[in-house]
Amino acid sequence: MENKNVLSNPADWVELYGDQLLKYTVARVRHREAAEEIVQETFLAGLKAQKNFSGRSSEKTWLFGILKHKIIDHYRKKEKEQQVSTEDPFVEYFDGRGHWKKSLEKWDTNPQKALEQKEFWEVFSRCISNLPVDMEQVFQLKILDKMDSDGICEALQITSANLWVRLHRARFKMRECLEKCWFMKTG
Amino acid sequence: MLRCKDIAKLLSDSLEKELPWTQRVEIRLHLMICYVCRRYWKQLRFLHNCITNYYDKKLDKDPALSQESKKRMQDKIIEEMNK
């Protein structure tokens, strides 16, 4: 006999899976309110799609599947809302011939020790939040979802050239922010 | 001849994918003579590790739903069920 999973009463979903779904979402979406909104939408979408539940996966896996789509939808929406940032982060650093205008600051000889400091991570977190959303999304998909570049391009509907540029800009800005807010201050 | 600005971009790319050997050679030669790019590369690798670490840590945090949020979600679901 085949073992089929069945759905529990949707009224119990929040109690059963709410925290797990939220945890997953909060790590991927910048604002908590937005994360809660996405979890709510997931439950409502699940409710509507109950009859499509095949029972091949567990209820939890099924709900997570819906959630992942909702998060990607959210990214795409953000992608459209956001004006593509046209500011050139490089202009301050490179001259017309593409050479560094001035040397970069030398960072602490042992930056590894920064990693153990709580304050460092607070600064780091602030620098991440200062990035344009489209840049952070790339990191989230890459690291949290372990997506490869094709997957990311597909999810965000961008070209791979666009993806490399975005990563480059994001890293460039992060480096600058860490230098200004951490390494130049701690010396 | 690649300029520092191009090298910086390629260094970032190299964290994602294998570059063609011609570019790898060019980068290597450039880094030998350009200390600013060398410094940039060192900082970039450090940053790369930090970013991975940061998201791993973020996943460990355990944000629970508040009772109010739970209630609100539940009510909404029940409301939809009764439609």
Side-chain angles (χ1 to χ4, degrees):
Chain A
M1 219 179 91
E2 205 185 339
N3 267 334
K4 280 214 166 184
N5 292 297
V6 286
L7 293 179
S8 50
N9 185 345
D12 299 330
W13 285 350
V14 177
E15 214 38 75
L16 288 168
Y17 309 112
D19 287 336
Q20 295 170 62
L21 293 177
L22 183 72
K23 181 178 175 178
Y24 184 91
T25 314
V26 162
R28 288 164 174 79
V29 170
R30 219 172 248 188
H31 299 289
R32 191 181 164 106
E33 302 81 69
E36 291 200 10
E37 188 62 31
I38 290 170
V39 172
Q40 171 86 77
E41 282 173 22
T42 300
F43 287 135
L44 297 178
L47 187 65
K48 280 203 186 112
Q50 274 183 101
K51 57 178 185 311
N52 302 331
F53 180 71
S54 66
R56 276 197 298 272
S57 59
S58 71
E59 178 174 63
K60 181 175 150 187
T61 309
W62 179 70
L63 282 170
F64 264 95
I66 299 175
L67 177 68
K68 284 174 192 166
H69 279 111
K70 291 281 169 203
I71 293 175
I72 297 290
D73 283 349
H74 173 80
Y75 285 168
R76 284 188 186 158
K77 207 160 74 196
K78 285 272 157 215
E79 186 85 22
K80 282 204 192 106
E81 271 171 26
Q82 163 163 292
Q83 297 218 322
V84 178
S85 70
T86 45
E87 69 160 322
D88 181 353
F90 308 115
V91 74
E92 236 185 275
Y93 286 87
F94 297 104
D95 63 23
R97 296 187 352 261
H99 292 135
W100 295 100
K101 278 187 187 167
K102 56 182 169 51
S103 175
L104 300 173
E105 291 294 323
K106 194 168 161 52
W107 287 3
D108 195 322
T109 44
N110 181 14
Q112 292 301 329
K113 82 165 193 264
L115 303 182
E116 288 151 28
Q117 286 169 271
K118 194 165 147 272
E119 295 80 10
F120 173 77
W121 290 109
E122 281 161 15
V123 169
F124 196 86
S125 172
R126 247 186 295 136
C127 289
I128 289 259
S129 339
N130 285 340
L131 288 178
V133 178
D134 63 334
M135 293 188 188
E136 195 191 354
Q137 280 166 3
V138 175
F139 290 137
Q140 286 163 332
L141 292 170
K142 199 164 90 76
I143 300 165
L144 292 173
D145 296 318
K146 315 243 178 307
M147 271 196 191
D148 62 13
S149 34
D150 290 343
I152 298 173
C153 292
E154 161 87 33
L156 298 178
Q157 296 170 328
I158 56 176
T159 63
S160 57
N162 189 309
L163 173 66
W164 309 132
V165 169
R166 211 179 275 199
L167 279 164
H168 175 41
R169 281 169 170 253
R171 289 174 177 138
F172 207 84
K173 285 179 86 82
M174 278 300 289
R175 196 213 66 84
E176 180 181 45
C177 184
L178 279 188
E179 180 165 288
K180 280 188 186 149
C181 303
W182 181 261
F183 287 103
M184 275 165 75
K185 288 201 171 134
T186 58
Chain B
M1 217 14 207
L2 291 172
R3 309 164 308 161
C4 298
K5 196 177 175 182
D6 308 316
I7 295 284
K9 165 74 163 55
L10 287 176
L11 289 172
S12 171
D13 291 356
S14 75
L15 295 171
E16 301 304 320
K17 56 178 177 183
E18 172 118 355
L19 300 177
W21 70 271
T22 43
Q23 283 182 342
R24 293 206 305 272
V25 170
E26 214 165 339
I27 291 172
R28 199 172 275 228
L29 290 174
H30 184 99
L31 289 183
M32 275 161 70
I33 52 165
C34 176
Y35 83 99
V36 189
C37 282
R38 218 155 47 224
R39 194 169 277 180
Y40 182 72
W41 179 223
K42 201 172 163 191
Q43 296 177 356
L44 196 63
R45 278 177 302 169
F46 170 73
L47 180 67
H48 189 57
N49 285 336
C50 288
I51 292 171
T52 312
N53 264 327
Y54 171 76
Y55 285 105
D56 285 346
K57 273 184 198 214
K58 212 171 166 191
L59 265 189
D60 286 339
K61 282 192 204 145
D62 207 356
L65 279 167
S66 65
Q67 285 311 315
E68 299 92 82
S69 296
K70 278 191 179 167
K71 174 103 183 30
R72 206 179 49 239
M73 282 188 191
Q74 236 153 10
D75 290 350
K76 191 94 205 255
I77 292 173
I78 293 168
E79 188 191 313
E80 284 294 318
M81 285 168 76
N82 293 335
K83 264 187 189 166

